[in-house]
Amino acid sequence: MASDGLLANLNESQHAAVSSFADTLAILAGPGSGKTHTLTSRTAWLLSQGLQPWNVIVATFTVKAAREMKERIGRLLDNGLESKLILGTFHSIARRYLARYGYLIDIQKDFGIADSADSLAIIKRIVKREKYTIDPKVARSRISGLKSRKGGENAAPFQKPLKKTIEMQELDGCYEQYEEALKRSNLLDYDDLLLRCVDLLRQYPSCVSNVEAVLIDEFQDTNLVQFDLMRLFAAQRKRITIVGDPDQSIYGFRAAEVMNYKRMLHQYPDTVTIALEENYRSSGAILLSALSVIKQDSSRVDKSLQATHTVGTRPVLRKLANAHQEAEWIITEIQRCKGMTGHLLDLNDFAILLRSSSLSRLIESALGKSGIAYRMVGGLRFYDRLEVKIVLDYLRVISQPDNNDALARILNVPSRRIGDATIKVLLDEAEQSKITLWALIGGEQKMKFKPSTHAKNGLGEIVNIVHTARKQVADPDRKIDTVGLIKFVLKRIGFEKFLEDHHGDVAKGRWANVEELITQASDFQSMITTGYEEESLPEVEGLQQNLESDSLTRFLANVALASEVKNDKDEGAQTPQVTISTIHAAKGLEWPVVFIPGAYQGSIPHSRAEDENEERRLLYVAMTRAKALLYMSCPLKNSQQEQSTLSPFLSAPSLLRSLEQKGPTLRSLELQTIALILRRPLPSFLSISQASLLLKSEEDDIFTLNGENKAFNNDSQWQNRSGSPSFNMGQRPAQRQKK
Ligand code: ATP
Ligand code: MG
């Protein structure tokens, strides 16, 4: 494979980074500067230099980012080798190692994964049983924080304070019992996946003795444990590439450590740092307004970022009476935008980014009413939907009957006349006897509790279903796959009828979700069969590997890890849809048109957030997702009908267009700027050159940077059209030329 092609579409600094012979390389740069692009190209370049893909680890932050990266590398390589890379999120890579080598540290091969909802359910149960007063959600996040801080090699030792408040005592109690519950159910939570993998690699470094290179995207959001994992992966051959942007660090609340870059320099003093200074994603107007927000944080280290797109429509800031009207306005804008741009934009080009998923309800319902298709990412997750969760719980129990919580949830769904009280008694008895619920109802040990005849029959029924299903899975002649298994379960429990009986109007929609799950299982199955979802790790001398996990276990792991951030629907194949996402889940992604509703004090910055700068960075991340058009809005009453005021981050918006009435008309000029930025052909009803476009730049909605001044620069001043001085972050006024 020629490496020339790989290097063709890179600027000078990107080129230097991609083909650097430095062992440890750090690329620190702003949004849209091609960090991910560079990392992807470097991965391909390393392979072109003779590295074998199964000796290269590439870690990203979200499942979607991992998939995109794999596809991009695939396009660069064009030989299918990308599927052999050890590529995925930290969690999924860790899972892979634990599935193969976990036996070395006493992890059972068929462990399940407790997602955040499972963790919360377990903690809720403990809190209830122990009559604790602590809020289960608080307990969950504290426990997670403790786990990931205590695990890091560099962390301060986990010290218990001498004097304990009640809350601390309860937290200790929760922690201990939570860990026990996970262990009994043979579950690992998200933190365990990383921590246990660290344990494994510390004790058995030879598991990764083959690894030749480690590449990490979104480094600014790694936590201590992930940092340690990185070091352990690269222990043999210290060839590491990290890319990141401290200004986009938004996971501090999950113990991400901006300090990791300093640690990196400390651990690897020869690290070569490269900056990328050109933004290829957003229009100049969008970039400058985003920079004006981030620059309000005086504690940050400034870095240079220049717009390569010098024209663009100024971002809109719209105030509306209430959240209801805000949702309506977004719909109108989407329709208008689409209507006016012809074939230039389709619904896939639009994203609505939310500070918290609670803002989505009104918007979802407005989209629904207007018949605009949309997909949800992050927040309200597909796999959390009631009907989907029930089916998944059945699968989880079939895969691993020791999963107490999943089993407890399906005992009486559909109704088998096993009451809630009975379920609670059973769980308690299992707990006291230190056995699993499955062992108890499966008759491994004599049950002290005497259930009613109905309940007894019900329990017999579920035991029977699980046994039958497990037998079918294990039977080599039947070869029942995950899809077959789901269909078996649906039929056996009469699920379609159950939904009809209990969910009247919405039953159809719910059943459609179940069908979607079948499609996903089927897609996953074919990815496994074609080898695209490769799971193998290379053999290393002297260590035996477990066999690859069965496809059901892998499907469930995939679901558990995907649901950490999003509902991962197959995108290409479907009709165009607007994306609704949390800002957190939108990291690293980009869309031509972005809406950021809820720009009010209390939402962003969020009233419960501890770090105001992190909130500002969140807004910065959201704004820099937009390529051509950016709309922000603030309802003057929030969804609880309380008065709200504009986010202080946007209170100096001389680069924004404040709209009081209707949205802007997209004139031909603006359409052209969109086409230019997106590198798409102009709609046929338009054809004016870029030159004439610049000439006409005095149009008030258009923002132009002239050639020499396109660099963002602190000394220059930018004035808006009315001539009022703008704030100091600004840009020089565009040269206004008359026609
Ligand atoms: P973020 O910080 O948001 O993750 P990033 O730095 O990773 O951003 P990328 O997503 O890699 O940026 O790139 C942003 C956009 O710019 C992408 O559409 C990418 O294809 C494009 N791009 C990157 N480098 C170049 C280049 N040299 N020439 C043209 N386009 C480029
Ligand atoms: Mg990126």
Side-chain angles (χ1 to χ4, degrees), residues 9-11 14 30-37 72 218 248 280-281 588 590 625 679:
N9 294 316
L10 301 168
N11 68 31
Q14 291 174 335
S33 58
K35 293 185 298 297
T36 303
H37 182 56
R72 284 203 212 175
E218 306 276 2
Q248 295 184 67
Y280 291 93
R281 177 181 296 144
E590 57 189 24
R625 299 310 95 200
R679 296 203 203 101

